[in-house]
Amino acid sequence: MNADDRTGPRPQGFSHRELREMLGAHVLGALGEPETVALRAHLDGCASCRADLEELAPLAGDLRLVDPDRAPGPVAPPRELGVRIARAVAAEAVLREHRDRRAVRRGRLRAVLVPVAAAAVAAVVTAIAVLPDDAPPPAPAVAFEQLPLRPLDPAVSADTATVVPHTWGLEVRMVAAGFGAGQTYRGIVRTTDGRSLPAGEFLGTGAKAVTCNLQTAVLRADAVDFTVVDSAGRTVLDLPLPVVRAG
Ligand SMILES: [Zn+2]
C-alpha cells in the first residue's frame, strides 16, 4: 500500500478483467509501460489479483520455455495487449501439460494465465476461459515447486529452480550461470532409498546464464535431492527436495 493517488481497483480505464488478463504477461515482463503502471497500481488495492500473481510468479520460467510454434490453438488476432508483447508465450501449453494433475485446481490459475503473443508473428493465443471474479479461490497450486538452489562452487550463481512432477518422473528447470564454458555438467537425483540416478546433462556457458531443463525417470515422491556435478564429479549445485506425499 502507498499513498499514490493512482492506486485503486481500476486505474486508467482498464476493466478488472483486462487487468487480470495482464498478470500472465506481467510475470514475463512482457507488458508495455502504461499497462505495467496500471497493473501495479491496481495490485496495490486488489488482494485477489495479488494472490493470482503470487501463484503465477513461479510459473514464469515455465512459460518462457514454451515454444511458440507448439502453442495450442486457437489463435486470435491481437487485441489491446498484442502489439506490445515482446515474447511468444502460450500459457495454456504449460497448463495443458499439467491439467490432469489434481494439484492444479481448475479455474483461477487458468483464468488469469492469459497467453501472450509471439514476438515476430504477433499472434495472440486466446485467453483461456475467464472465470467470474467472484469465483471461489482454489487451493494453491502445488504441481510446480519453486525451490532455492544452493551453489556449492563460488563461480556458480543460481537462484531458484522450478520442479515439475510429471507422471513419468520429475523435471528441474533452472537458470544459472558460472558453469565452465564447454564443460559437461550432469544432473543427479538421489532417491529416498539412497540411489543416485542420472538427471540429464548440459554444457557450461561460462558467465552467460544457461537455461536448463533436466529430466529424470525418478518420481518426485521418490526424490530427496537434486545436484549438479562437474566432469570431475564435484558437486557444484544442490537442490534439496522436500518430502512430498506420494500421489
Ligand atoms: Zn484485481
Side-chain angles (χ1 to χ4, degrees), residues 16 20 42 46 49:
H16 192 223
R20 291 184 76 215
H42 174 72
C46 181
C49 282

Side-chain angles (χ1 to χ4, degrees), residues 193-216:
D193 56 1
R195 290 174 300 153
S196 290
L197 298 170
E201 298 184 334
F202 63 94
L203 282 179
T205 53
K208 192 169 170 247
V210 58
T211 301
C212 297
N213 185 342
L214 300 164
Q215 302 174 344
T216 174

Side-chain angles (χ1 to χ4, degrees), residues 122-242:
V124 173
V125 179
T126 50
I128 309 149
V130 174
L131 292 185
D133 288 340
D134 57 358
V142 295
F144 295 77
E145 294 169 281
Q146 193 81 6
L147 299 171
L149 288 159
R150 298 180 183 166
L152 300 177
D153 180 323
V156 171
S157 62
D159 186 13
T160 59
T162 302
V163 176
V164 186
H166 294 284
T167 51
W168 44 261
L170 75 87
E171 184 177 344
V172 174
R173 301 171 182 177
M174 62 176 188
V175 178
F179 300 104
Q183 290 188 42
T184 300
Y185 291 83
R186 289 178 299 132
I188 292 176
V189 162
R190 203 155 44 83
T191 64
T192 48
D193 56 1
R195 290 174 300 153
S196 290
L197 298 170
E201 298 184 334
F202 63 94
L203 282 179
T205 53
K208 192 169 170 247
V210 58
T211 301
C212 297
N213 185 342
L214 300 164
Q215 302 174 344
T216 174
V218 176
L219 293 174
R220 173 63 185 89
D222 298 329
V224 294
D225 188 57
F226 170 88
T227 54
V228 173
V229 301
D230 66 13
S231 50
R234 217 166 41 98
T235 302
V236 296
L237 194 59
D238 183 33
L239 176 68
L241 301 171

Side-chain angles (χ1 to χ4, degrees), residues 79-96:
R79 291 185 300 180
E80 308 87 83
L81 285 180
V83 288
R84 297 189 184 279
I85 305 294
R87 206 194 306 266
V89 174
E92 189 165 63
V94 172
L95 291 173
R96 182 171 288 167

Side-chain angles (χ1 to χ4, degrees), residues 8-10 15-17 19-20 23 39 42-43 45-50 52 108 133:
R10 291 174 49 175
S15 73
H16 192 223
R17 175 176 169 151
L19 289 159
R20 291 184 76 215
L23 289 169
L39 184 58
H42 174 72
L43 286 167
C46 181
S48 162
C49 282
R50 282 200 304 274
D52 287 339
R108 202 171 187 185
D133 288 340

Side-chain angles (χ1 to χ4, degrees), residues 29-118:
L31 276 187
E33 198 182 336
E35 288 87 354
T36 301
V37 169
L39 184 58
R40 283 193 176 143
H42 174 72
L43 286 167
D44 278 346
C46 181
S48 162
C49 282
R50 282 200 304 274
D52 287 339
L53 183 62
E54 224 166 89
E55 291 186 56
L56 280 172
L59 297 180
D62 300 295
L63 299 182
R64 289 193 180 97
L65 296 176
V66 173
D67 180 350
D69 294 330
R70 289 172 49 223
V75 172
R79 291 185 300 180
E80 308 87 83
L81 285 180
V83 288
R84 297 189 184 279
I85 305 294
R87 206 194 306 266
V89 174
E92 189 165 63
V94 172
L95 291 173
R96 182 171 288 167
E97 186 186 353
H98 301 282
R99 183 162 289 163
D100 295 333
R101 307 201 157 277
R102 65 178 183 185
V104 174
R105 297 292 197 265
R106 295 170 55 215
R108 202 171 187 185
L109 256 192
R110 216 179 307 163
V112 296
L113 267 176
V114 172
V116 195

